[in-house]
Amino acid sequence: MKKFRKVLDGLTTSSPGGTMGSPSCGSAAGTPTAAPTPRDIDVQETLVSENFQLCKTVRHGFTYQPTALAFDPVQKILAIGSRSGGVRILGRPGVDCYCQHESGAAVLQLQFLINEGALVTACADDTLHLWNLRQRRPAVLHSLKFNRERITFCHLPFQSKWLYVGTERGNTHIVNIESFILSGYVIMWNKAIELSTKTHPGPVVHLSDSPKDEGKLLIGFEGGTIVQWDLRAKKADFRIYYDEAIHSVSWHHEGKQFMCSHSDGSLTLWNLRNTTKPFQVTFPHGKIQKDGRKESCKPILKVEYKTSRNSEPFVIFSGGLSYDKAGRRPALTIMHGKAITVLEMDYPIVEFMVLCDTPYINEIQEPYAVVVLLEKDLIVVDLTQSNFPVFENPYPMDIHESPVTCTAYFADCPPDIIPILYSIGAKHKKTGYSQKEWPIAGGTWTLGSHTYPEIIITGHADGSIKFWDASAFTLQMLYKLKTSKVFEKPKLGEGRGADLGEEDPFAVQMVSWCPHSRIFCVVGISAHIILYRFSKYDANTQTVSLEVRLQCEPEDIITPSENENNPCFSEPGSHSPQPHHQYPVSPGSRTPDGAKDSTPFLKVKDKTVRVPPGYQSDLVIQLLWVDGEPPQQITSLDINSAYGLLAFGNCNGLAVVDYIQKTVILCISTVDLYGATDPYQRLTRSPRRNRQSTSEHCMRGLSNFYSDSKKRIRTSYQSLTELTDNQQSIDMERSKSPTSDHVNGHCTSPTSQPCSAGKPRIPMGPEGPRLTRRGPGRPPFRKAQSAACMEISLPVSHTEGHASRRAMLQQLHGVTMYSHDEHHSTASYCWNERESRENSFSRSRSSSVSSIDRDTKEAITTLQFGESYGRKSDALPTPCLWVGTSLGVVILIPLSIPMDHEERMEDPVTVGPSGAVQMLKGSVLRFAFLDCNGALIQSPYEIWRDQNAPEDPDRPRRRKLVHFSPSSSQDAFGEGHLTVVCSERQAKVFLMPSQSCLFVHNITESSFVLRADVVSLCNSVCLACFCANGHVMTLSLPSLRPLMDVNYLPLTDMRIARTFCFTNEGQALYLSSPTEIQRITYSQEMCDNLQEMLGELFTPIETPEAQNRGFLKGFFGGNAHTFDREELFGEAAAGKASRSLAQHIPGQGGVEGMKVAASGVVGDLARARIALDERGQRLGELEERTTLMMTSAETFSKHAHELMLKCKDKKWYQF
């Protein structure tokens, strides 16, 4: 417990104007209110540095760029490897673990030590790793780095400690799994093949021991050579030379036959009795053409040959389709007897694996399912039913169904919201799944004690919204909302639809959600906002549409009449000067383009439609084209259900909408917000060229995440939505381009100016004519940015200074950001238009615009409704709107809202003149309000009521509001509250209504803040920040004392910056890849309890006993059970391998490493359990030795007794 007291002496009275021009703030001295002075603020801060620790918790979604697959048939857990070196281990729902190789090398192959709680991974850097899965956080026990050979294939026999490793040179090495040391036993390629063979057989593509005899190893070479190697005799039993390349081999369980798949689309069946030619050759998909020749087919990449006790064998393979059918989708073929079933897949098949009841390869396999790993999905097919249905996947593998463009995270939600959303979403679930339980059911997971309702919301490129239940480290989709249903579908070939083409005009840019009132707001890429209300009943509704004119030029602005005291604000209901209401067409725009002015991008459905239960659209707000200019994207949004107001802004201005009365109450330019007290001296703009038509590319949306034959990923200018491995880098000069588009969707037009706004209207006229090609220097409407697909190399070092910050901001905030601490150092740029157009993230704008125009661009970056004091003279808090801009300016706008229910429905909401103006360094990012005790003041909200519910005449519907007034949360300190403001560089705490600055903290000098939020933690609050240099920081409130600063994640791509968000209870998330969500915690308490909240991967299970083979099979089936690998591969028999061949690297996953990794009671129990297991193993070995010694002693005693009896009666001379 720490007590912080701030005392300011020698305070002087400052006028309101004095606080506008400088970062310093006025004091409370001289104010006529009873608000506390700074010396009265005495807040007991409970958070200390020991409350914070940063660590990853869990990762959700589909493994990005998967490469390998493995399954433990006894433990029933599945492992998936990825190209980035990640390993995902899945069990029953709740058992989900992610591991990462430090090298980042792609995972080539995975091998479980079946029922041993361990996993072997082979990576592209020719390193083998042994992972310990007997702990909740798997770790590497051993690593073995091959120096001279490349690993191509691995095979680990069941219940064996010797791993066979095939290499690119064709050699086969053997590794001891226990010690991870290479054996001296090596099968050289030149000994495996005949000496007369003149060509190299190629890399090893298959290794397996014979089901009939474990002492026989089958080696498959890529060139078509197959060798059965006798491990005891160290020679080849037989060699097969086939003309076609081999991709895979699969044994029949009796060990008398095996099947191969080849590059010409054929399957060959070989019998060991005669290996001179294949017993059978089939082309499953190769038909005989008219000329008698077979169709050419694609390679069969993998085949599995599985037997069944009560039916014909299963032959399952991928590939092998004929080449002549263009556009045919990838397929998995199941041959069961004479029946051939082709299962077409949506994406290419990476790997598949047949799941069987037994782990023994010499028993009847009895396959029951097949796991198919696709490039962008994971499916499991039920083999026990004739129609082969798929299992319903319990994991959230469809996060990337459409590219994720934004995220929101809500912890500690109202407990009733998750069941309601689930009940509504369950009605729309797909059917036709297998009725059997999910077969991957390994591990154990229990609901932890530290659980509370959590919801994650993802917005997508196709306009869809997904609500996810994220409670207890799990993720399950609750409800899906499609925003595109509000609009008419753009028609290809005519009107605006021709310009939209196959792009994504409905892409979601940001969301705002009030869980208490269930009001939901969506901002789209087409400069539109949709407001939704929740209802449990279906209804016939017609969506109301408002159109807002928030873009015009300075020459069009007409000075307001002199009787107005403040030029920024007019009477309620009025907006800008009357000439704007008429939308006059200038002579230069009387063209086909001119007719499209005052029209939005999309057309709202004007018919009454039947909408299902759930979120139902109530209002659509769209920004209009002005003089051939597309509307700039919306950069900030806030909604308050208690006030019934919605505020949004972009780089041109601010608008406030009354969504209850469906009217616009304020529409004003950013410059006019200041009135006569503008803190900046804004210079005259350079002359504009004549406007020409703009819009062949007015809407360039997200490229679809899934490419097909009709729509491929577009790469015209290094699209931000490409899913490639290459990260785009920007050199410093290109980064300085002030005209680059960026991620948050802010305006980038250097020729647009803030303006007074036109009167919004209900759309009545017909759709405008078709848009034509844009003129020079005019930008296309910015392409919808997919957060799932943005990668950039960003300089964040201190030496690169402002250029680094500017490069990042242009990509993240979309406007030439300018703050007062930089305006002397950013006066001009050396910028090459052609170079920027070819190398920057998007098409650049005209380079003829002066740097003055660029520097004075100002966007509304954040908005917040709340109860506050609009002016220093206010005695009581009133509804206010806090406005933050990209220039670091904070503006406070008082609102007058009728409180009576009937008056609120009819009387207009009025807006007062601008109140406080404060200054910070960098763009303003976040507002929050505290009472004078340091407690967080929540925004007022309306209690949810279903507007479609049957009316009760005895209980008329009235709005029920919940207010959190500053005066109601404190008694000892009188009236007043604290306002926390965070910008890119700085955080400040102001005392209201005096507007005095109590605390200031410069968060960073060499970087800048990307995301900031005031969050609750341990019954207190703090300010959490994520910086561009990868640092995650927390500051105490209200003193802004640093509590944590961790260099967590270097920001190498824009996806993280776009999707990173904090929430309460010390949690945060971001999109770690285009398909995965990574959740982290910065709470020490959660880190301590993390072990018990995660699932257990390994559970003690008895290994199933092998079937009794019978006397005849045991007698004639060979001596498979007498094979001792230790005698052949041990150091005593095989010697030591060359030290230069491979290097052993000890890992940190053993007991020693776990002592560091594990913590708390759970870690102690885990260590104790492992110690007991090791002690039990040693005792078992000791018992075996003791038994042997006793047996030996008894035998010796018996022989001695027999010898004594024999020699008892003999004389000495008879010996």
Side-chain angles (χ1 to χ4, degrees):
M1 183 81 66
K2 287 193 176 182
K3 183 177 291 188
F4 194 94
R5 184 181 300 273
K6 177 71 176 178
V7 180
L8 298 177
D9 296 316
L11 299 175
T12 57
T13 304
S14 60
S15 62
T19 65
M20 301 175 193
S22 65
S24 61
C25 306
S27 71
T31 57
T33 67
T37 61
R39 69 173 65 248
D40 295 327
I41 301 300
D42 188 2
V43 178
Q44 292 181 340
E45 297 182 356
T46 59
L47 289 178
V48 293
S49 299
E50 287 72 20
N51 294 122
F52 296 90
Q53 180 183 348
L54 192 68
C55 69
K56 295 180 180 179
T57 55
V58 69
R59 181 173 293 206
H60 303 297
F62 178 77
T63 303
Y64 183 54
Q65 295 178 331
T67 56
L69 185 69
F71 182 72
D72 188 326
V74 180
Q75 290 288 323
K76 294 190 182 302
I77 55 177
L78 185 78
I80 302 174
S82 71
R83 190 180 301 176
S84 60
V87 178
R88 191 81 170 272
I89 305 174
L90 302 171
R92 66 176 66 249
V95 179
D96 189 341
C97 180
Y98 177 80
C99 316
Q100 176 66 44
H101 292 92
E102 292 183 1
S103 64
V107 178
L108 299 180
Q109 196 175 351
L110 300 167
Q111 284 279 332
F112 274 107
L113 275 67
I114 296 176
N115 204 27
E116 294 291 336
L119 175 71
V120 175
T121 59
C123 296
D125 60 352
D126 306 308
T127 305
L128 297 173
H129 304 274
L130 179 64
W131 292 83
N132 179 17
L133 306 184
R134 294 187 177 229
Q135 55 195 68
R136 295 178 190 253
R137 291 277 191 171
V140 175
L141 284 167
H142 301 281
S143 297
L144 187 65
K145 169 72 173 175
F146 280 74
N147 297 323
R148 295 185 296 183
E149 297 197 52
R150 306 296 304 273
I151 299 174
T152 57
F153 195 86
C154 297
H155 170 63
L156 179 64
F158 179 47
Q159 293 182 329
S160 169
K161 67 176 183 179
W162 298 96
L163 174 72
Y164 301 111
V165 181
T167 67
E168 193 175 39
R169 292 184 180 180
N171 302 325
T172 301
H173 300 275
I174 301 171
V175 178
N176 187 318
I177 291 298
E178 293 179 350
S179 61
F180 239 56
I181 296 176
L182 210 58
S183 168
Y185 192 112
V186 182
I187 305 173
M188 305 299 292
W189 68 271
N190 55 355
K191 293 182 180 180
I193 65 173
E194 289 182 337
L195 297 177
S196 59
T197 306
K198 297 181 179 179
T199 58
H200 190 280
V204 175
V205 296
H206 177 81
L207 292 168
S208 63
D209 47 348
S210 170
K212 189 176 179 181
D213 186 354
E214 293 179 356
K216 305 295 178 66
L217 182 67
L218 193 69
I219 307 173
F221 296 93
E222 187 181 57
T225 303
I226 301 174
V227 177
Q228 180 167 292
W229 185 262
D230 189 331
L231 294 170
R232 303 181 191 86
K234 298 183 180 180
K235 66 177 183 178
D237 285 345
F238 63 81
R239 299 178 177 92
I240 295 174
Y241 300 97
Y242 197 66
D243 295 336
E244 295 295 334
I246 295 174
H247 287 280
S248 69
V249 182
S250 181
W251 278 99
H252 187 278
H253 82 276
E254 293 180 349
K256 299 177 181 179
Q257 293 178 334
F258 61 87
M259 185 175 289
C260 301
S261 67
H262 300 278
S263 58
D264 62 346
S266 66
L267 296 173
T268 57
L269 184 63
W270 299 84
N271 197 315
L272 297 191
R273 292 181 180 178
N274 182 11
T275 58
T276 57
K277 63 178 181 178
F279 176 74
Q280 184 181 10
V281 180
T282 57
F283 288 82
H285 297 294
K287 298 179 180 179
I288 299 177
Q289 298 175 340
K290 294 180 180 180
D291 57 1
R293 292 185 303 175
K294 288 273 189 181
E295 287 181 320
S296 59
C297 297
K298 300 176 182 178
I300 295 180
L301 301 178
K302 183 178 180 180
V303 64
E304 292 216 24
Y305 188 18
K306 301 297 181 183
T307 53
S308 180
R309 192 180 306 275
N310 300 319
S311 64
E312 296 289 329
F314 284 88
V315 177
I316 304 173
F317 61 89
S318 61
L321 300 177
S322 58
Y323 279 106
D324 60 343
K325 294 183 179 179
R328 193 168 183 179
R329 294 191 293 180
L332 182 78
T333 304
I334 302 175
M335 299 173 61
H336 190 207
K338 295 182 179 180
I340 299 179
T341 305
V342 179
L343 304 179
E344 290 191 337
M345 304 295 169
D346 293 331
Y347 318 108
I349 297 174
V350 176
E351 174 72 285
F352 75 89
M353 182 164 290
V354 179
L355 308 188
C356 302
D357 284 332
T358 177
Y360 297 95
I361 61 173
N362 57 356
E363 296 179 355
I364 297 176
Q365 299 298 290
E366 291 293 348
Y368 59 89
V370 55
V371 180
V372 187
L373 179 63
L374 308 177
E375 278 191 359
K376 300 177 180 68
D377 203 358
L378 176 73
I379 65 172
V380 181
V381 181
D382 187 355
L383 295 179
T384 62
Q385 301 182 41
S386 58
N387 59 340
F388 302 125
V390 298
F391 290 89
E392 184 177 5
N393 197 328
Y395 313 124
M397 295 291 183
D398 57 347
I399 292 175
H400 60 283
E401 184 179 13
S402 176
V404 178
T405 53
C406 71
T407 58
Y409 191 9
F410 300 88
D412 206 7
C413 300
D416 60 335
I417 191 68
I418 290 180
I420 290 177
L421 288 174
Y422 181 80
S423 63
I424 298 295
K427 299 177 182 178
H428 305 286
K429 281 194 172 184
K430 297 179 181 179
T431 58
Y433 293 109
S434 173
Q435 299 301 314
K436 295 191 175 183
E437 293 185 359
W438 181 251
I440 305 168
T444 56
W445 179 79
T446 56
L447 192 65
S449 57
H450 298 77
T451 58
Y452 39 82
E454 299 175 73
I455 287 181
I456 294 174
I457 300 177
T458 56
H460 300 265
D462 62 354
S464 61
I465 303 286
K466 292 181 181 179
F467 291 77
W468 305 84
D469 178 10
S471 307
F473 287 168
T474 61
L475 196 68
Q476 181 181 9
M477 194 173 78
L478 298 172
Y479 175 72
K480 183 177 180 180
L481 174 67
K482 295 182 179 179
T483 63
S484 59
K485 290 185 175 180
V486 176
F487 303 98
E488 293 184 359
K489 187 176 180 180
K491 297 179 181 179
L492 298 178
E494 60 180 77
R496 289 163 292 184
D499 300 292
L500 301 178
E502 293 181 340
E503 306 292 346
D504 304 288
F506 310 112
V508 179
Q509 201 170 356
M510 65 181 75
V511 296
S512 179
W513 184 48
C514 177
H516 302 282
S517 64
R518 301 180 190 174
I519 296 289
F520 185 59
C521 213
V522 179
V523 176
I525 200 71
S526 299
H528 65 270
I529 301 173
I530 310 174
L531 186 141
Y532 290 91
R533 292 179 181 268
F534 187 83
S535 175
K536 295 189 290 184
Y537 304 91
D538 55 0
N540 295 318
T541 61
Q542 181 178 3
T543 305
V544 179
S545 176
L546 287 178
E547 296 180 353
V548 179
R549 180 186 174 107
L550 197 57
Q551 180 169 345
C552 50
E553 297 301 324
E555 58 263 30
D556 299 329
I557 297 178
I558 299 175
T559 305
S561 56
E562 280 123 359
N563 58 2
E564 295 188 51
N565 295 328
N566 194 319
C568 342
F569 295 89
S570 54
E571 292 300 320
S574 63
H575 307 285
S576 28
Q578 186 64 26
H580 284 292
H581 300 176
Q582 308 301 323
Y583 303 119
V585 180
S586 61
S589 62
R590 293 185 181 277
T591 63
D593 284 324
K596 74 189 171 194
D597 288 346
S598 305
T599 60
F601 275 108
L602 303 172
K603 185 177 181 181
V604 180
K605 292 180 180 178
D606 53 2
K607 298 179 181 179
T608 300
V609 294
R610 189 78 173 174
V611 292
Y615 274 104
Q616 302 167 353
S617 59
D618 184 64
L619 175 66
V620 176
I621 305 169
Q622 292 180 282
L623 298 185
L624 301 176
W625 285 70
V626 178
D627 295 336
E629 280 287 326
Q632 300 300 333
Q633 291 176 15
I634 295 165
T635 59
S636 56
L637 171 77
D638 192 40
I639 187 169
N640 189 280
S641 57
Y643 302 160
L645 299 180
L646 181 153
F648 65 93
N650 62 8
C651 63
N652 286 332
L654 168 71
V656 181
V657 175
D658 183 346
Y659 66 80
I660 295 179
Q661 300 183 20
K662 307 295 190 294
T663 58
V664 179
I665 63 173
L666 178 66
C667 189
I668 193 170
S669 70
T670 312
V671 174
D672 289 340
L673 279 173
Y674 299 105
T677 58
D678 191 345
Y680 295 107
Q681 181 180 2
R682 302 177 189 269
L683 304 180
T684 306
R685 289 170 38 82
S686 57
R688 289 190 56 211
R689 293 179 289 185
N690 290 334
R691 209 184 330 274
Q692 299 186 22
S693 59
T694 68
S695 85
E696 182 185 42
H697 304 286
C698 67
M699 289 289 291
R700 299 191 57 85
L702 281 160
S703 300
N704 275 345
F705 188 70
Y706 309 117
S707 59
D708 52 35
S709 59
K710 294 183 179 179
K711 181 176 182 181
R712 301 186 181 275
I713 294 177
R714 289 168 287 277
T715 56
S716 57
Y717 55 94
Q718 295 295 322
S719 165
L720 287 177
T721 61
E722 290 178 31
L723 295 183
T724 62
D725 294 330
N726 298 329
Q727 294 184 349
Q728 303 176 8
S729 32
I730 306 177
D731 67 22
M732 291 309 300
E733 289 302 320
R734 296 169 190 169
S735 298
K736 293 179 182 178
S737 167
T739 60
S740 299
D741 288 345
H742 49 73
V743 176
N744 271 351
H746 296 136
C747 155
T748 55
S749 170
T751 57
S752 58
Q753 268 284 334
C755 65
S756 301
K759 181 178 181 180
R761 58 183 178 87
I762 304 297
M764 301 294 292
E767 186 179 350
R770 185 182 186 279
L771 307 180
T772 58
R773 186 176 299 274
R774 62 186 179 91
R778 290 292 170 192
F781 190 74
R782 189 188 66 79
K783 184 171 185 179
Q785 309 278 348
S786 164
C789 319
M790 303 173 187
E791 297 188 353
I792 171 179
S793 298
L794 291 171
V796 290
S797 65
H798 177 75
T799 57
E800 289 167 338
H802 297 307
S804 166
R805 173 182 177 274
R806 188 170 301 278
M808 180 67 175
L809 291 180
Q810 287 165 1
Q811 302 303 326
L812 182 66
H813 297 296
V815 64
T816 303
M817 294 297 183
Y818 170 85
S819 61
H820 69 277
D821 63 329
E822 294 180 342
H823 101 281
H824 291 296
S825 62
T826 57
S828 61
Y829 297 91
C830 295
W831 181 68
N832 184 291
E833 180 182 11
R834 178 180 178 183
E835 183 181 16
S836 175
R837 181 168 59 250
E838 292 175 351
N839 298 284
S840 65
F841 280 100
S842 61
R843 302 179 191 271
S844 59
R845 301 182 179 271
S846 171
S847 61
S848 63
V849 184
S850 68
S851 60
I852 299 178
D853 295 332
R854 293 194 292 266
D855 280 350
T856 54
K857 178 64 63 179
E858 184 174 14
I860 306 295
T861 54
T862 186
L863 297 164
Q864 180 71 52
F865 286 105
E867 299 283 322
S868 186
Y869 301 86
R871 302 168 190 83
K872 290 185 178 182
S873 58
D874 289 349
L876 295 174
T878 58
C880 293
L881 174 63
W882 289 76
V883 181
T885 75
S886 59
L887 300 187
V889 178
V890 177
I891 305 170
L892 184 58
I893 301 176
L895 305 170
S896 177
I897 303 174
M899 301 306 296
D900 183 73
H901 178 75
E902 287 75 14
E903 292 180 354
R904 181 64 187 87
M905 297 299 171
E906 299 176 1
D907 295 349
V909 176
T910 58
V911 179
S914 175
V917 176
Q918 305 291 348
M919 299 292 301
L920 285 89
K921 296 179 181 180
S923 301
V924 181
L925 300 178
R926 189 67 63 194
F927 295 113
F929 310 112
L930 309 177
D931 62 21
C932 290
N933 292 321
L936 184 65
I937 302 175
Q938 298 183 19
S939 297
Y941 61 86
E942 175 189 4
I943 297 177
W944 174 73
R945 56 193 176 94
D946 198 332
Q947 294 185 329
N948 297 330
E951 294 190 15
D952 186 356
D954 298 332
R955 300 180 63 183
R957 295 179 183 172
R958 300 182 65 86
R959 301 177 71 227
K960 296 180 181 180
L961 309 182
V962 177
H963 285 273
F964 299 92
S965 174
S967 58
S968 64
S969 61
Q970 58 199 40
D971 296 323
F973 296 100
E975 299 177 357
H977 72 87
L978 304 176
T979 299
V980 181
V981 186
C982 183
S983 72
E984 294 170 340
R985 297 290 186 87
Q986 201 174 48
K988 289 186 178 183
V989 176
F990 297 97
L991 176 65
M992 302 299 290
S994 65
Q995 303 175 17
S996 56
C997 181
L998 300 183
F999 305 99
V1000 182
H1001 179 73
N1002 292 322
I1003 300 174
T1004 177
E1005 294 295 338
S1006 60
S1007 184
F1008 54 95
V1009 179
L1010 292 171
R1011 293 289 180 266
D1013 208 347
V1014 174
V1015 295
S1016 61
L1017 179 67
C1018 300
N1019 298 319
S1020 186
V1021 291
C1022 64
L1023 176 63
C1025 303
F1026 174 58
C1027 294
N1029 58 7
H1031 284 247
V1032 177
M1033 295 181 285
T1034 57
L1035 305 174
S1036 67
L1037 289 177
S1039 65
L1040 299 178
R1041 179 169 41 87
L1043 297 174
M1044 181 188 73
D1045 187 353
V1046 178
N1047 187 6
Y1048 167 68
L1049 183 72
L1051 189 63
T1052 55
D1053 56 70
M1054 294 300 299
R1055 183 195 317 112
I1056 299 172
R1058 175 71 166 152
T1059 58
F1060 197 102
C1061 51
F1062 293 100
T1063 190
N1064 295 327
E1065 308 301 334
Q1067 295 202 70
L1069 65 80
Y1070 59 92
L1071 213 64
S1072 59
S1073 75
T1075 61
E1076 295 169 293
I1077 291 176
Q1078 177 68 58
R1079 292 166 66 178
I1080 63 174
T1081 181
Y1082 47 94
S1083 165
Q1084 178 66 54
E1085 181 182 5
M1086 182 167 288
C1087 291
D1088 292 339
N1089 297 298
L1090 187 59
Q1091 293 292 332
E1092 67 176 274
M1093 300 175 72
L1094 296 175
E1096 188 84 47
L1097 293 174
F1098 178 79
T1099 54
I1101 300 175
E1102 281 291 330
T1103 302
E1105 294 183 1
Q1107 295 178 1
N1108 187 4
R1109 304 182 66 196
F1111 173 76
L1112 293 178
K1113 285 188 177 181
F1115 186 78
F1116 295 104
N1119 54 348
H1121 293 278
T1122 62
F1123 178 62
D1124 188 359
R1125 294 185 177 90
E1126 183 69 32
E1127 292 181 1
L1128 291 176
F1129 307 145
E1131 185 176 334
K1136 294 183 178 180
S1138 172
R1139 293 184 178 180
S1140 61
L1141 184 61
Q1143 176 187 359
H1144 175 257
I1145 305 171
Q1148 296 296 323
V1151 177
E1152 295 80 4
M1154 197 181 64
K1155 288 178 182 177
V1156 180
S1159 59
V1161 178
V1162 176
D1164 294 336
L1165 290 175
R1167 287 193 292 272
R1169 187 182 64 187
I1170 289 180
L1172 287 174
D1173 291 343
E1174 293 177 349
R1175 184 170 179 267
Q1177 185 178 357
R1178 295 192 190 99
L1179 288 175
E1181 294 174 355
L1182 179 61
E1183 185 179 359
E1184 290 177 359
R1185 294 194 193 99
T1186 304
T1187 304
L1188 291 173
M1189 290 177 65
M1190 289 177 63
T1191 304
S1192 177
E1194 289 176 359
T1195 304
F1196 178 78
S1197 174
K1198 181 180 177 181
H1199 288 306
H1201 184 68
E1202 291 176 352
L1203 182 63
M1204 184 268 296
L1205 292 177
K1206 184 177 179 180
C1207 301
K1208 180 178 180 182
D1209 298 328
K1210 288 185 178 183
K1211 302 297 182 181
W1212 63 270
Y1213 53 82
Q1214 293 177 330
F1215 287 97

